[in-house]
Amino acid sequence: MAVFDLLGRKWNMRLLWELRSGACSFRSLQERCDGMSPSVMNSRVKQLTEAMLIEKSDNGYVLTALGADLMDTLDPLRQWAADWESKVNG
């Protein structure tokens, strides 16, 4: 349940999603997240860092190995969601 609580917090999944393709600076990540406020962004980055899903690198924020593994684990769920959407909107 702890992982669902963490991922269910507003912006956390979006941050992980944006980092799946590589490192992002704070500002770049903020822009990709539709201009999330800096205070909220700091809070979410701290949560995800403490959960060992992201870390700061020389090139900006990146997924850790654990974070990348989580995103790979969620791939089947993304496919299920796309199938579900096509049936609902059919």
Side-chain angles (χ1 to χ4, degrees):
M1 292 308 296
V3 75
F4 289 122
D5 179 52
L6 178 67
L7 298 179
R9 293 179 193 157
K10 189 171 183 178
W11 296 111
N12 281 352
M13 277 302 300
R14 177 70 182 269
L15 289 168
L16 294 170
W17 177 260
E18 295 298 341
L19 290 173
R20 78 195 187 291
S21 58
C24 282
S25 68
F26 186 92
R27 186 171 302 272
S28 174
L29 195 52
Q30 184 181 17
E31 288 171 4
R32 288 182 182 193
C33 292
D34 303 321
M36 179 191 331
S37 77
S39 61
V40 171
M41 177 109 161
N42 277 324
S43 172
R44 298 307 183 254
V45 164
K46 183 178 178 185
Q47 289 171 2
L48 294 171
T49 300
E50 288 173 354
M52 299 175 21
L53 298 176
I54 67 171
E55 63 189 1
K56 181 83 165 131
S57 73
D58 291 340
N59 299 321
Y61 292 97
V62 295
L63 292 175
T64 62
L66 194 58
D69 187 44
L70 172 63
M71 296 307 286
D72 289 343
T73 300
L74 292 173
D75 278 340
L77 182 58
R78 282 193 280 277
Q79 182 58 53
W80 180 89
D83 294 343
W84 173 69
E85 179 184 29
S86 69
K87 288 178 182 170
V88 169
N89 294 329

